[in-house]
Amino acid sequence: MNRFMIGQYGRFDYNKFRRDFKPGFYGIEACLFEREEDAEHLLKEAGDHGFRIGIHFPLRAGRYKHRDALLLSDDKGTREAAYADVEQELSYLRRLRPDYVLFHYPKPVIMDDRVDWTLWRFSDRSEYAWESEYSLETLREGSEQLFEWLDRKSREYDFTPVLELDGLNRYLYGTDLLESLLCRYPGIRLCLDTGRLYLQERVDPYFDAKAVLEAYAPYAKLIHLSNTNIAEGRVRFNHYPVHPDQKPEEGWAPMEDYLRIIAARNPAVQILFEHNSALISDEELAQCYEWVCELMNGISS
């Protein structure tokens, strides 16, 4: 379990910390804290318990115009503002000594015009662009700039940049653009979100979640682990704790298949339980941890 993490979003929730965080866990990922004192609680508990801190940009809520940094916007002003926002946050985070800082990629999401994205959730229109209006060359140029900048800032501020794959189009799953950048900048790593990958496979007939896991798991530092249930054309459960009783034929993601791929391709990856543990009992939470531990260690039947 020394690769396991939990999330703290909105505040440092001591009830969640006492229930969900177990001895030997690697760390806590924090995001969108409303109050300065919550960052102080996080720093104190990290020192007292010896765990690492991960940051899902931004740590501080309400500071920036957009929740996710639109670092690949095709609008120069928006893009420059996003870079300035990230620089400001990195300066603030220095005292927390984060192990990593995570950003969504690509952002804005580049959406395949052929797909019905009704079930995909966005905060506002700025978060996505249509593939027909956003070229592969624009993505290539923006990504080159982003990787070079993050590589430089990672040394300046001493953190690992992590890019969480958001909605993917054929620019990323059908070319070698991303893989070539990851090879050139090995200090930049990925986050793979199992719930998001499953959702895209269900709405996008051109997308293969398992193929993406096979291709990109070796470059991942982190897995955001939760399950999603989709049935009768709607998302019934989101960010639900994974459990061996969840059956794909009932609308759940094939989580055992996903975890076996991840374990085979990158057995040392960190697992963040990005779920709402209040949805299940203490016994079910223990079963969740045990099952994932067994699968990641290759000992599940």
Side-chain angles (χ1 to χ4, degrees):
M1 292 188 180
N2 59 1
R3 289 170 289 145
F4 287 179
M5 303 181 68
I6 68 166
Q8 291 278 26
Y9 302 100
R11 64 191 177 97
F12 192 91
D13 184 338
Y14 270 98
N15 290 329
K16 181 178 177 66
F17 177 60
R18 296 184 185 102
R19 180 176 186 249
D20 293 12
F21 193 87
K22 305 300 180 185
F25 271 26
Y26 181 83
I28 289 178
E29 182 180 287
C31 180
L32 291 174
F33 279 4
E34 297 282 352
R35 305 176 307 168
E36 182 75 23
E37 51 261 43
D38 286 304
E40 300 302 327
H41 293 324
L42 175 65
L43 187 59
K44 176 185 182 301
E45 298 305 332
D48 289 350
H49 294 272
F51 64 76
R52 303 300 301 273
I53 295 172
I55 300 297
H56 186 308
F57 178 89
L59 175 62
R60 297 176 293 173
R63 292 271 176 165
Y64 310 111
K65 182 177 180 181
H66 303 287
R67 177 206 148 119
D68 293 322
L70 302 181
L71 295 163
L72 290 172
S73 174
D74 59 359
D75 178 78
K76 182 180 179 183
T78 301
R79 189 171 61 252
E80 289 178 347
Y83 274 92
D85 290 346
V86 172
E87 179 90 46
Q88 180 180 335
E89 194 76 353
L90 291 176
S91 179
Y92 171 80
L93 293 172
R94 194 195 294 268
R95 68 191 185 88
L96 297 179
R97 301 182 300 278
D99 179 47
Y100 66 83
V101 182
L102 179 151
F103 310 93
H104 280 223
Y105 175 91
K107 207 70 177 193
V109 174
I110 304 168
M111 298 171 64
D112 191 328
D113 299 72
R114 302 170 296 175
V115 175
D116 179 0
W117 293 93
T118 303
L119 294 182
W120 208 265
R121 296 175 299 141
F122 292 109
S123 297
D124 59 66
R125 179 61 180 85
S126 67
E127 288 197 273
Y128 66 90
W130 291 105
E131 183 183 294
S132 58
E133 302 169 352
Y134 193 110
S135 69
L136 173 59
E137 189 56 33
T138 299
L139 178 63
R140 190 183 306 278
E141 291 176 0
S143 296
E144 289 274 0
Q145 177 188 6
L146 175 61
F147 272 70
E148 188 280 329
W149 189 83
L150 285 176
D151 182 64
R152 184 157 36 90
K153 292 302 172 181
S154 71
R155 293 191 295 274
E156 181 179 345
Y157 291 100
D158 191 24
F159 73 99
T160 297
V162 174
L163 299 179
E164 179 176 355
L165 298 185
D166 212 306
L168 303 182
N169 77 328
R170 49 192 155 180
Y171 296 165
L172 294 174
Y173 64 71
T175 76
D176 68 350
L177 167 62
L178 180 55
E179 188 167 13
S180 66
L181 286 167
L182 291 165
C183 290
R184 285 167 49 200
Y185 296 96
I188 298 175
R189 308 296 287 170
L190 294 181
C191 170
L192 302 173
D193 184 305
T194 57
R196 183 176 284 114
L197 289 171
Y198 175 60
L199 175 59
Q200 182 165 353
E201 181 167 271
R202 290 295 301 271
V203 304
D204 182 350
Y206 309 100
F207 183 79
D208 184 338
K210 292 179 186 177
V212 168
L213 286 170
E214 289 276 4
Y216 289 120
Y219 302 100
K221 176 179 175 63
L222 184 66
I223 303 297
H224 276 182
L225 185 66
S226 68
N227 211 335
T228 297
N229 184 281
I230 304 173
E232 300 176 349
R234 64 187 181 92
V235 177
R236 298 199 304 173
F237 298 105
N238 193 34
H239 289 292
Y240 202 93
V242 302
H243 193 275
D245 290 343
Q246 293 162 348
K247 296 178 172 53
E249 58 269 26
E250 295 175 355
W252 295 102
M255 200 54 62
E256 181 170 346
D257 293 345
Y258 287 4
L259 286 169
R260 288 191 185 280
I261 292 170
I262 293 164
R265 301 291 283 153
N266 188 350
V269 73
Q270 288 149 20
I271 303 290
L272 168 66
F273 292 93
E274 195 188 37
H275 59 214
N276 180 1
S277 63
L279 296 172
I280 60 174
S281 67
D282 290 349
E283 180 181 4
E284 289 169 322
L285 182 61
Q287 291 169 344
C288 166
Y289 290 161
E290 182 179 2
W291 186 58
V292 174
C293 187
E294 289 176 350
L295 287 170
M296 290 304 297
N297 285 294
I299 59 176
S300 182
S301 59

